[in-house]
Amino acid sequence: MSESGGWAAMRERRLAEPGAAEAYDAARLAFELGRSVRELRERRGWSQTQLAKKSGMTQSAVARFEAGGTVPTLMVLERLAAALDVSLKVGFEPRGAAA
């Protein structure tokens, strides 16, 4: 790495660019949602293909979603929740420790 601060400094510069923080948050949310669905699927012992069939999706769409590669619509989340026999909870919470 160069003397310009390395990865941490580059990350801070990139996150300071317009729209970068929002894009980072969207990517984080997509990753967390995908991870949650993958964990639910694996607990049931299902393959991605089985979840895809039960939710009316393709296996490749399930794979992309589980990898955090797409930000799903509410309709997709509802279909996945129904297939996995779980309730979908969408809400808002205050940011930070103080409520």
Side-chain angles (χ1 to χ4, degrees):
M1 288 262 146
S2 70
E3 293 296 317
S4 62
W7 171 250
M10 182 192 322
R11 180 180 181 275
E12 290 304 314
R13 285 192 305 271
R14 295 285 191 218
L15 286 176
E17 294 175 2
E22 292 84 2
Y24 178 83
D25 286 341
R28 179 187 50 77
L29 179 61
F31 175 80
E32 290 173 1
L33 287 167
R35 180 182 58 198
S36 295
V37 167
R38 184 186 71 241
E39 288 172 358
L40 289 166
R41 175 182 61 78
E42 288 175 345
R43 278 189 217 142
R44 284 161 178 73
W46 292 354
S47 67
Q48 288 179 342
T49 300
Q50 288 171 302
L51 177 57
K53 286 180 183 177
K54 292 176 186 294
S55 61
M57 299 171 67
T58 64
Q59 180 277 326
S60 60
V62 170
R64 278 192 307 276
F65 174 73
E66 287 186 356
T70 61
V71 178
T73 63
L74 285 174
M75 182 174 283
V76 167
L77 292 174
E78 288 173 340
R79 289 182 4 213
L80 288 166
L84 292 163
D85 195 28
V86 296
S87 297
L88 176 63
K89 180 181 174 183
V90 178
F92 296 93
E93 296 179 1
R95 292 183 187 197

